[in-house]
Amino acid sequence: LLTNPLVATSIGNNREVMSSQTSTDPLLILSSALQTAFEAVAGRTGVDPVIRSSDRADAQANGALGLAKELGQNPRQVAEAVLAECAGLAGICSSVEVAGPGFLNLVFSNDFLSRLLNQVAGDPRLGIGTVPSKRVVIDYSAPNVAKEMHVGHLRTTVIGDSLVRMLSFVGHEVIRENHIGDWGTPFGMLIEHLLDLGETQAADHLSLGDLDGFYKQARTKFDADETFQDRARSRVVLLQSGDAETRRLWNLLVNLSTHHFNAVYKLLGVLLTDDDLMGESAYNDLLPQVVTRLDKLGLLQQSAGADVVFPPGYTNREGEPLPLIVQKGQGGFNYATSDLACVIDRVERLQADLLLYVVGSPQAQHLAMVFDVARMAGWLVEPNEAVHVAFGNVLGSDRKIMKSRSGDPLKFIDLIEEAVARADAAIAAKNPDLSETERHEIARMVGIGSVKYADLSTDRVRDYVFDWERMLSFDGNTAPYLQYAHARICSIFRRADTSRVSVRNVVPTLVEPQERELALALLAFNAAVVDTIDKYSPHRLCTYLYDLATTFTAFYEHCPVLKDGYESTRQSRLALCDLTARVLHQGLALLGIETPEQM
Ligand code: ARG
């Protein structure tokens, strides 16, 4: 059974872990209580009640089916026996029934839900549990030096950022690593081009953010001019041999680029800084070691003049074994060598338990081979794990990889600016009374939130079509819809002239079905976060938040908050409103999205 090391203990059926934390997750509490009953019937510990969601009730327990096999009994009888042991459910459920082949259908009592809501309202973490900490390296963003960040870097940056936020929030020790492409043969031509332009002029050029222009000029010269090619080649040799002047020029290029990356990160509100830079060049000193260590282990083979390793299970189109090349004929190292060094560094120096690579699907085979070779070499040994958190492409409306009008990949910075400008126009239309300063600030949150959310809300393994209209729409599974739900609740409190904090000790009463639905949705926040982390799939949290917002809308339409005559009802409903806004705010924050108080 594969369990995710990041969440196993928080959802596993380990009673010690669960009873040691005071959870407000109704499913966890139920599971723990039912486990006692199942264990009494089984006559042993460690029985999983197998709690699932259900259409007929709030939850269903399927554990009797498996246990019946183990005991050689009829599953319905086992379920009945468990039911007889269910005294512990008295304060939790209002009804428990045996159904079908031996399921238990369970309905939570309203008092139980009210009590939990009140506890969650008093909890700054809103019911999100913490887990025993693992040290996790997250490799994300990783643009290439002297190349513009383009739309292709959007997904890794945004998905990586939200994983960083979620894993940190539940208590893991996260190490962010930005594995920028800052090494390799193109640097020969880039440095020579820099010298041709003169340092000051090149710096001016690059600081304008026109990295691609610079790269293209160098490339054109390289393709057209043989003497330039020779210069570029000798420059690479100088760079690799550590020549001080060449290193200084290389540094200049790297710094100009990272300066530009930082500007993008800052604008996006992504947590990466210079401290997280860990580019390919950082592993230079380890590269010879990678080869000698593989050699000592007897894993190295010769193939077409190169040093390679053959991890089992990979073949080329002709069906021949596919090698991972670690040293080319002329002695040069490559991307695979630095990724192997990178595994060694992360495991041996950083002592990481888990390595996450937020990298596009096209690199799946490269990473799989690197991980396999690292396992063969004993560098990646259980319980240490490496996981490729892969993702699909961003497509234009023609369903091809998204391009700008000039045919180049759309620049990241242009994309963000357009998003903010479009959001600004949409908000001006919706709320003309806002001052310009207020509107710009809200537009920034909504525009950037829209781009991030459109990306995060699609299952990461799938491609998605980038669609301005849809992502900025105030209806549907979008950032503006969720942000608007949050802002609307803020405005209810402004109209009520009541402070949000003042309703946080109210125990909500659940009378109307829409109140009860909202309660269940609010209490499912922890489960949604656990599930999202389990699959490294932010879209699961998006789906949860969207469901919460639609459940809130239904509640708001059926249950008058301010117009109701009874003060106790008003207080109770305000408490539900406040908690909804807090969960929306916290949930979006875990995705790296801000929530304005008005829109
Ligand atoms: N710089 C690479 C690219 O743009 C991505 C690096 C991903 N990380 C890694 N450890 N290989 O394709």
Side-chain angles (χ1 to χ4, degrees):
L1 187 78
L2 270 177
T3 50
N4 184 323
L6 297 182
V7 292
T9 45
S10 69
I11 52 166
N13 304 290
N14 182 332
R15 200 142 38 96
E16 259 162 311
V17 172
M18 284 194 313
S19 54
S20 69
Q21 62 186 38
T22 42
S23 178
T24 43
D25 182 334
L27 292 174
L28 283 183
I29 298 171
L30 179 65
S31 180
S32 165
L34 268 177
Q35 190 170 344
T36 315
F38 272 90
E39 287 174 349
V41 173
R44 67 171 179 93
T45 55
V47 186
D48 185 355
V50 195
I51 304 288
R52 295 285 176 270
S53 60
S54 157
D55 298 338
R56 308 248 177 87
D58 294 331
Q60 128 186 351
N62 299 348
L65 304 181
L67 185 56
K69 271 200 204 108
E70 179 184 320
L71 300 176
Q73 291 175 14
N74 171 320
R76 277 194 73 101
Q77 266 170 357
V78 173
E80 296 286 355
V82 170
L83 194 57
E85 294 286 340
C86 275
L89 292 186
I92 299 176
C93 290
S94 57
S95 123
V96 188
E97 270 171 20
V98 177
F103 310 130
L104 288 173
N105 280 345
L106 303 127
V107 178
F108 293 121
S109 79
N110 285 358
D111 279 351
F112 172 66
L113 297 177
S114 292
R115 219 172 343 109
L116 289 182
L117 286 172
N118 178 247
Q119 278 175 38
V120 172
D123 174 9
R125 301 182 56 83
L126 299 167
I128 306 292
T130 54
V131 294
S133 182
K134 301 267 181 203
R135 187 172 293 177
V136 189
V137 170
I138 306 189
D139 179 320
Y140 67 114
S141 194
N144 298 316
V145 163
K147 283 198 191 158
E148 196 81 46
M149 284 184 83
H150 56 80
V151 62
H153 296 107
L154 175 68
R155 303 211 72 183
T156 168
T157 306
V158 167
I159 296 169
D161 185 62
S162 81
L163 291 177
V164 166
R165 291 170 191 270
M166 282 188 259
L167 296 192
S168 314
F169 193 74
V170 301
H172 296 299
E173 185 190 340
V174 174
I175 302 173
R176 304 183 291 259
E177 288 208 332
N178 195 355
H179 193 87
I180 57 171
D182 61 356
W183 202 249
T185 44
F187 282 92
M189 77 179 188
L190 291 168
I191 291 172
E192 288 304 319
H193 183 50
L194 178 117
L195 287 172
D196 284 357
L197 284 181
E199 280 176 44
T200 346
Q201 224 204 312
D204 286 348
H205 189 127
L206 288 168
S207 57
L208 288 176
D210 185 22
L211 304 182
D212 277 352
F214 184 88
Y215 193 97
K216 272 190 197 156
Q217 285 169 5
R219 184 83 234 178
T220 312
K221 240 194 276 177
F222 186 88
D223 291 339
D225 179 349
E226 264 179 46
T227 47
F228 186 78
Q229 273 177 32
D230 290 338
R231 279 167 55 198
R233 292 209 182 89
S234 358
R235 190 54 77 177
V236 175
V237 176
L238 282 173
L239 181 64
Q240 280 166 346
S241 64
D243 172 63
E245 174 63 4
T246 305
R247 278 290 191 145
R248 187 184 67 79
L249 295 167
W250 169 81
N251 238 315
L252 205 65
L253 277 175
V254 174
N255 288 341
L256 287 165
S257 299
T258 52
H259 188 77
H260 169 70
F261 303 154
N262 286 338
V264 175
Y265 297 147
K266 192 150 178 255
L267 188 61
L268 264 186
V270 161
L271 297 171
L272 286 168
T273 68
D274 277 346
D275 294 341
D276 309 312
L277 286 174
M278 202 57 195
E280 288 174 37
S281 69
Y283 302 96
N284 276 339
D285 294 344
L286 270 173
L287 300 180
Q289 219 193 93
V290 169
V291 180
T292 49
R293 284 175 73 171
L294 288 170
D295 196 19
K296 271 209 195 105
L297 291 160
L299 294 171
L300 220 52
Q301 282 177 265
Q302 295 287 309
S303 171
D307 288 324
V308 308
V309 181
F310 284 101
Y314 300 90
T315 48
N316 64 16
R317 276 194 211 133
E318 284 73 43
E320 295 151 359
L322 192 68
L324 186 71
I325 301 174
V326 293
Q327 190 157 26
K328 288 178 263 182
Q330 297 81 8
F333 303 110
N334 59 17
Y335 190 47
T337 332
S338 71
D339 260 328
L340 283 169
C342 180
V343 172
I344 295 180
D345 186 66
R346 288 171 183 177
V347 175
E348 294 181 3
R349 181 179 65 90
L350 295 174
Q351 304 273 306
D353 302 299
L354 179 68
L355 319 180
L356 298 182
Y357 291 74
V358 189
V359 180
S361 304
Q363 294 192 37
Q365 176 168 284
H366 162 77
L367 288 174
M369 289 177 85
V370 165
F371 299 162
D372 277 353
V373 169
R375 287 186 192 106
M376 289 162 75
W379 301 331
L380 193 59
V381 181
E382 274 183 44
N384 285 350
E385 257 288 22
V387 176
H388 179 197
V389 180
F391 53 83
N393 291 312
V394 186
L395 306 176
S397 49
D398 55 0
R399 298 206 61 92
K400 297 209 179 94
I401 307 249
M402 198 156 128
K403 294 266 159 71
S404 68
R405 249 171 258 133
S406 68
D408 293 326
L410 196 60
K411 284 186 193 177
F412 212 116
I413 206 102
D414 295 346
L415 189 118
I416 300 166
E417 275 164 12
E418 179 160 359
V420 175
R422 282 175 182 258
D424 202 283
I427 290 159
K430 209 170 167 76
N431 191 349
D433 298 337
L434 288 169
S435 78
E436 207 166 302
T437 345
E438 282 172 325
R439 192 180 72 231
H440 288 337
E441 180 59 3
I442 297 167
R444 188 186 59 75
M445 298 186 199
V446 173
I448 291 171
S450 298
V451 173
K452 288 185 175 180
Y453 192 86
D455 197 292
L456 294 169
S457 58
T458 348
D459 191 346
R460 61 176 165 77
V461 299
R462 290 177 31 208
D463 295 346
Y464 75 92
V465 175
F466 193 93
D467 180 343
W468 285 119
E469 299 276 308
R470 214 185 64 194
M471 74 175 70
L472 283 158
S473 165
F474 284 80
D475 291 310
N477 188 10
T478 65
Y481 177 70
L482 297 179
Q483 287 169 321
Y484 188 67
H486 172 269
R488 186 160 66 174
I489 296 173
C490 296
S491 96
I492 295 171
F493 278 88
R494 280 193 297 271
R495 273 185 286 133
D497 204 14
T498 304
S499 89
R500 301 245 325 250
V501 198
S502 72
V503 297
R504 290 193 185 154
N505 49 14
V506 173
V507 181
T509 40
L510 307 173
V511 180
E512 300 298 325
Q514 291 82 7
E515 291 174 314
R516 194 174 188 281
E517 284 301 311
L518 183 57
L520 286 170
L522 289 166
L523 294 170
F525 189 27
N526 179 59
V529 171
V530 168
D531 184 41
T532 302
I533 293 176
D534 183 36
K535 304 287 189 304
Y536 311 114
S537 291
H539 80 278
R540 290 169 178 254
L541 181 57
C542 297
T543 305
Y544 164 76
L545 293 172
Y546 178 57
D547 284 347
L548 174 64
T550 51
T551 309
F552 176 79
T553 304
F555 155 82
Y556 192 63
E557 279 164 12
H558 287 90
C559 306
V561 177
L562 301 183
K563 286 189 216 101
D564 192 275
Y566 294 97
E567 183 56 21
S568 60
T569 311
R570 175 186 153 109
Q571 287 286 312
S572 166
R573 290 180 180 168
L574 280 172
L576 289 171
C577 288
D578 170 60
L579 202 49
T580 305
R582 288 169 75 195
V583 172
L584 287 172
H585 168 81
Q586 181 63 65
L588 287 170
L590 291 176
L591 298 169
I593 297 172
E594 293 174 80
T595 31
E597 307 236 319
Q598 52 175 340
M599 268 170 83

